[in-house]
Amino acid sequence: MSEAATQKGFLGMIERTGNKLPDPVFLFFWLIAGLVVISIVASLVGWSAVHPTEIDEATGAPRIISAVSLLSAENIQRLWVDMPTTFTHFHPLGYVLVVMLGAGVAERAGLFGTAMRGAVRYAPKALLTPFVVLVGMMGNLAADAAYVVLIPLAGIVFHAAGRHPVAGIAASFAGVSGGFSANLLPGQLDALLFGITEAAVETVFGDFTANIAGNWYFIAAMTFVFLPVIWYVTDKMIEPRLGTWDPARAGHAPVGEQTDAPLTDGERKGLRWAGLAMLAVVALWLFFTYGPGTPLIDEDATPEARWSPFYRSLVAAFFLLFLLAGWAYGKGAGVIANHRDLVQMMSGAMEDLAYYLVLAFAAAHFVAMFSWSNLGLILAVNGADVLGSSGLPAWALLAAIIIVSGILNLFVGSASAKWALLSPVLVPMLMLLGITPEMATAAYRVGDSATNIITPLMVYFPLILIFCQRWQKDFGLGSLAATMLPYSIGLMVVGLALTIGWVVLDLPLGPGAQVFMDMPVAETPVS
């Protein structure tokens, strides 16, 4: 497809507009520059708000929060003196680094790729589509491996079953990317997003510990709701539209064809060992939770807080789970010879995070400076007042957040970058309306997932196009976008319905996580 052709129509407009945006790292730096200007103006005009929780000790009245210029002497000093602390205390940083130390071993040893190969290769033919989709959604625990291993493999498996290979690629892409937040288990994405949520809460309400299992029930429900939608769209809409695959239209040899080979004895042995290692970690955490002394349960705390140590330990649990399972697989499959190989794999995982570290540096300073200026709190309080007086129910507010997130996703592909931009205002604002940080995060995830598969700005979109073109050489950018659009619409509709139903029924989002909370109010000073 020619460059000119890709620039036509609505998708062409999105592509042209998105390509003009700077890299997310520099986007944050430009936002910081704009934030400095806004803080100066807000300070000069005396923009302020009544703090929702704090009392002025001198007057006994709720404390007034005023906008502070980021060029004040105090904030300039903070910027330069606290720069290392601002970066290293950015909550998502620690969460992601710890989890990826383990996940990097599992990925490099081949555990994720082999597990996905085995699952898809031996799927029952009658249930091939839902099996591919489910493995794709579960494959998000493996991060990038799902894109580069599972999606091309799905095309090969569909072809072997006598079906159109592009339909397999589309179904797998919809599962991996459209179902980006759907999963039966929390994983790396939960650690990343809830780290940002934690930072957003603390800009207004002080110390807060995120529960990375706070969306567990919700994302599991997303899995069961999204799966039949993708199944229906694939079998009833996309595959009939594609018709019968014609080998004469194929490009060069399909990428990843060798990945359809049967599992070797070593790979099977590695999977068995990995399974035993995972069971051992689960057993260890059960022992820590229910064994002598119950170190992961605070017996002296209130019923709501007694599980806090367990939730806070989940980052370490996922680190150990991925690390030991990857190590066991590597030993069984003959990939890891000694401890030096293990250390090298962990080092490689950190190398892969080089770009994320740069992005985190910029995002950390944006979030911190937003807090220093008091603009986040002022926007949250005033926004909550406007929304509260509007009379809109909670489900309508969250539906609006889903739609806005989905639209923004067309232009800014990174899930963490968008949430770092939105959360400093959205999370405190919704808390002031009685909606928990966990619910705000869940709503964002629905919108972020649904439009991943239709924006050319998603980093893997060109790669998926190449996968398709190896089976159908005239398959262009417009063809891929048109193929994925029904999935995107379907996922957005059912995601909105799921969220609205969840809020109306007031169902728990995860262990210890609810939809609603008591609205923060200023406490009466002690006489």
Side-chain angles (χ1 to χ4, degrees):
M1 195 173 204
S2 68
E3 182 179 354
T6 65
Q7 296 293 317
K8 294 180 179 178
F10 177 67
L11 287 172
M13 182 271 292
I14 293 175
E15 184 176 12
R16 290 193 301 273
T17 303
N19 286 337
K20 293 178 182 178
L21 291 174
D23 182 276
V25 173
F26 267 82
L27 179 62
F28 275 112
F29 287 137
W30 282 113
L31 287 170
I32 288 172
L35 184 63
V36 170
V37 174
I38 294 172
S39 72
I40 295 171
V41 174
S43 175
L44 291 174
V45 300
W47 199 19
S48 63
V50 177
H51 198 289
T53 62
E54 294 184 4
I55 298 296
D56 189 320
E57 295 181 0
T59 64
R63 188 161 69 89
I64 302 298
I65 299 297
S66 301
V68 179
S69 169
L70 288 172
L71 292 185
S72 67
E74 180 184 6
N75 280 332
I76 291 175
Q77 183 186 81
R78 275 178 170 177
L79 175 63
W80 301 122
V81 174
D82 294 344
M83 185 172 284
T85 304
T86 301
F87 179 36
T88 57
H89 286 198
F90 188 50
H91 292 293
L93 185 63
Y95 290 172
V96 172
L97 291 178
V98 170
V99 173
M100 283 304 298
L101 272 174
V105 173
E107 182 177 0
R108 279 169 170 70
L111 170 60
F112 291 145
T114 301
M116 287 187 288
R117 275 178 50 214
V120 173
R121 177 179 171 80
Y122 300 108
K125 293 294 187 284
L127 300 175
L128 185 57
T129 301
F131 209 85
V132 164
V133 174
L134 180 60
V135 173
M137 288 190 282
M138 294 297 294
N140 281 315
L141 293 171
D144 294 351
Y147 286 95
V148 299
V149 174
L150 180 61
I151 293 177
L153 177 60
I156 295 166
V157 173
F158 264 58
H159 174 248
R163 301 177 60 180
H164 202 296
V166 173
I169 292 173
S172 181
F173 185 31
V176 172
S177 195
F180 186 60
S181 281
N183 214 302
L184 298 180
L185 296 170
Q188 302 171 51
L189 182 63
D190 296 81
L192 175 62
L193 293 182
F194 274 108
I196 297 173
T197 301
E198 182 175 310
V201 175
E202 291 185 345
T203 61
V204 176
F205 299 107
D207 289 343
F208 173 79
T209 300
N211 169 14
I212 72 166
N215 282 168
W216 190 349
Y217 305 156
F218 186 82
I219 62 175
M222 285 176 66
T223 305
F224 290 110
V225 170
F226 282 4
L227 193 150
V229 171
I230 299 175
W231 186 0
Y232 178 85
V233 171
T234 302
D235 289 3
K236 301 300 183 182
M237 300 176 66
I238 301 304
E239 195 161 14
R241 178 175 175 271
L242 290 169
T244 304
W245 180 65
D246 181 4
R249 298 175 68 189
H252 42 93
V255 65
E257 191 163 22
Q258 71 281 2
T259 62
D260 194 35
L263 299 184
T264 66
D265 291 340
E267 289 172 334
R268 292 193 183 92
K269 180 180 178 181
L271 288 176
R272 289 195 298 270
W273 286 21
L276 293 174
M278 294 173 72
L279 289 175
V281 173
V282 172
L284 180 64
W285 245 251
L286 288 174
F287 177 78
F288 287 150
T289 304
Y290 297 106
T294 59
L296 295 183
I297 300 291
D298 188 349
E299 302 287 0
D300 299 326
T302 62
E304 295 80 10
R306 67 191 305 267
W307 284 84
S308 179
F310 174 80
Y311 300 143
R312 294 168 64 184
S313 75
L314 289 177
V315 171
F318 282 113
F319 157 70
L320 201 60
L321 186 76
F322 289 135
L323 175 66
L324 295 185
W327 193 356
Y329 172 84
K331 293 293 288 186
V335 178
I336 296 178
N338 51 50
H339 69 279
R340 290 182 175 84
D341 291 337
L342 182 71
V343 173
Q344 186 174 7
M345 289 179 179
M346 297 174 76
S347 300
M350 295 299 99
E351 291 175 5
D352 289 346
L353 288 176
Y355 175 78
Y356 173 75
L357 293 175
V358 178
L359 178 63
F361 177 82
H365 282 83
F366 173 77
V367 171
M369 294 173 74
F370 208 62
S371 174
W372 300 343
S373 68
N374 288 334
L375 291 176
L377 175 57
I378 294 171
L379 284 170
V381 171
N382 291 335
D385 288 341
V386 171
L387 292 176
S389 62
S390 71
L392 289 174
W395 64 262
L397 298 177
L398 292 164
I401 289 172
I402 291 173
I403 293 171
V404 169
S405 300
I407 294 172
L408 184 59
N409 192 40
L410 296 173
F411 302 95
V412 182
S414 169
S416 58
K418 287 193 301 295
W419 192 225
L421 292 173
L422 295 173
S423 62
V425 173
L426 286 182
V427 173
M429 181 175 68
L430 291 175
M431 289 177 69
L432 293 171
L433 295 172
I435 298 173
T436 63
E438 290 85 1
M439 188 65 245
T441 307
Y444 167 74
R445 297 174 76 160
V446 173
D448 176 67
S449 291
T451 54
N452 266 339
I453 50 180
I454 59 172
T455 171
L457 302 179
M458 203 275 286
V459 291
Y460 284 105
F461 202 84
L463 180 64
I464 308 305
L465 181 62
I466 292 172
F467 290 155
C468 293
Q469 288 176 343
R470 291 179 180 266
W471 292 101
Q472 189 169 318
K473 58 187 175 184
D474 58 348
F475 201 88
L477 184 66
S479 303
L480 180 56
T483 298
M484 302 312 299
L485 186 59
Y487 292 108
S488 183
I489 294 172
L491 295 178
M492 179 62 81
V493 170
V494 298
L496 282 166
L498 175 66
T499 305
I500 292 170
W502 209 281
V503 173
V504 170
L505 296 175
D506 192 12
L507 301 174
L509 292 158
Q514 303 297 325
V515 173
F516 298 106
M517 59 182 290
D518 293 332
M519 288 183 288
V521 294
E523 299 178 357
T524 304
V526 178
S527 58

